[in-house]
Amino acid sequence: MDFARGHHETVSQILQSKPNQQVYRIAPTAPVLEAVKLMAQHGIGAVLVMDGEQIVGIMSERDYARKVVLLGRSSSDTPVRDIMSANVMYVRPDQTNEDCMVLITENRLRHLPVLDQGKLVGMISIGDLVKDIISEQQFVIQQLQHYISGER
């Protein structure tokens, strides 16, 4: 039995385990206030900025705090495109939680859209990944316990 390697969940499996798989989106021309209301309403930390089916950016609570609140801008007069992060990194459904953690850690991200052949199929957050890693560790611990008790 190879405990050290563990089993790595795919992005697809992580998405399936999420109770809410809805991806919230907003237009680049929408006022920031609308995006903040959307995030508050659904208890999420970021929304994808989409022009039709095209991802043009991502707007997070952090973008709001740093680029609106701190700069004294108006939430109702500032369009989302003025404060969004335009460089959006994404993952594919067949990638592993480990791939995601590397991307998130190295790029200081909190959210990763999931694209399947260019089509948006979901979004995973650092919270989803942490939850997945914890359940993976619990699985390994259980396997070890069975292995040890079977040895006696």
Side-chain angles (χ1 to χ4, degrees):
M1 202 177 254
D2 186 4
F3 295 114
R5 230 187 58 231
H7 73 295
H8 291 292
E9 295 265 312
T10 62
V11 168
S12 178
Q13 290 168 310
I14 296 167
L15 279 179
Q16 284 165 12
S17 70
K18 286 179 66 151
N20 181 3
Q21 294 178 29
Q22 175 82 41
V23 180
Y24 298 97
R25 51 183 85 189
I26 197 145
T29 51
V32 166
L33 185 63
E34 203 176 298
V36 174
K37 280 181 178 170
L38 187 67
M39 288 190 275
Q41 194 181 342
H42 298 287
I44 53 172
V47 287
L48 268 186
V49 186
M50 295 186 75
D51 198 352
E53 288 304 300
Q54 185 77 33
I55 298 173
V56 292
I58 191 165
M59 187 198 129
S60 67
E61 292 170 324
R62 188 180 277 180
D63 291 319
Y64 174 68
R66 293 181 181 175
K67 301 171 192 169
V68 176
V69 180
L70 282 180
L71 300 178
R73 285 172 161 170
S74 155
S75 310
S76 43
D77 299 339
T78 306
V80 168
R81 73 163 159 257
D82 285 6
I83 71 154
M84 70 183 190
S85 304
N87 181 18
V88 184
M89 295 196 141
Y90 66 89
V91 287
R92 296 181 319 274
D94 61 339
Q95 287 182 268
T96 64
N97 57 4
E98 204 166 60
D99 295 335
C100 298
M101 285 307 277
V102 169
L103 267 181
I104 276 184
T105 310
E106 287 180 357
N107 300 284
R108 301 183 60 145
L109 305 169
R110 286 162 179 253
H111 300 85
L112 287 169
V114 184
L115 298 186
D116 192 1
Q117 296 173 341
K119 189 179 179 301
L120 178 68
V121 292
M123 175 106 96
I124 53 176
S125 70
I126 193 161
D128 299 328
L129 291 167
V130 169
K131 213 177 278 174
D132 181 63
I133 289 165
I134 289 169
S135 74
E136 210 172 84
Q137 287 174 343
Q138 285 170 339
F139 173 78
V140 172
I141 290 167
Q142 282 173 344
Q143 295 301 304
L144 280 167
Q145 285 170 337
H146 293 310
Y147 180 74
I148 292 163
S149 62
E151 285 286 301
R152 289 188 181 153

